[in-house]
Amino acid sequence: MDVSRSAVLIAVLFIGAGLMLQPDASASDKPLAKKEAKPAAAASSALTEGEVLRIDKAAGTATIKHGPMTKLDMPAMAMPYKVRDKAVLDGLRPGDKIAFEVDSVGGVFTVVRLEKRK
């Protein structure tokens, strides 16, 4: 009988230890929930308001002062961005108010959509 009790006790200890090594279900749910919520937030905030400060047609860039970009977790700032469609630069002037979307293209922040505001 002692052997059976010992065997059961050992089995319970191993099972308990195995459960303790399992990742916490609530911890693993949090990153997933965060990722699932992000597309909805990104869709509603895909366009960022900004102002054109400088155009460099030769480099294919526009320096834009903008508000926070939640999609890229980027604070408000001013910086030059590559523009995917360089023809867009022909219609821009410093001081223009715009709404734009930036994505990382080949590791470079690139304007992929731009709309002039009035």
Side-chain angles (χ1 to χ4, degrees):
M1 200 58 130
D2 283 336
V3 174
S4 295
R5 268 192 199 167
S6 296
V8 169
L9 182 60
I10 290 171
V12 168
L13 288 173
F14 277 114
I15 291 171
L19 291 174
M20 301 253 325
L21 295 175
Q22 294 282 334
D24 182 20
S26 63
S28 64
D29 289 346
K30 288 178 185 174
L32 182 59
K34 190 174 184 181
K35 287 180 184 176
E36 288 173 357
K38 202 167 192 173
S44 66
S45 62
L47 291 180
T48 302
E49 299 294 320
E51 178 183 350
V52 177
L53 299 179
R54 183 171 178 256
I55 302 294
D56 184 342
K57 289 182 184 177
T61 63
T63 301
I64 303 170
K65 176 180 156 186
H66 60 80
M69 287 189 213
T70 54
K71 175 182 173 183
L72 299 174
D73 196 25
M74 185 183 291
M77 65 175 70
M79 67 177 277
Y81 291 96
K82 283 280 190 192
V83 178
R84 181 168 59 185
D85 180 6
K86 293 181 183 181
V88 170
L89 297 175
D90 293 332
L92 293 178
R93 302 284 175 260
D96 283 349
K97 305 292 185 203
I98 60 170
F100 68 107
E101 181 180 359
V102 172
D103 277 327
S104 180
V105 177
V108 177
F109 288 130
T110 304
V111 175
V112 295
R113 183 173 157 206
L114 188 141
E115 300 172 4
K116 284 178 98 172
R117 299 285 195 217
K118 292 187 180 195

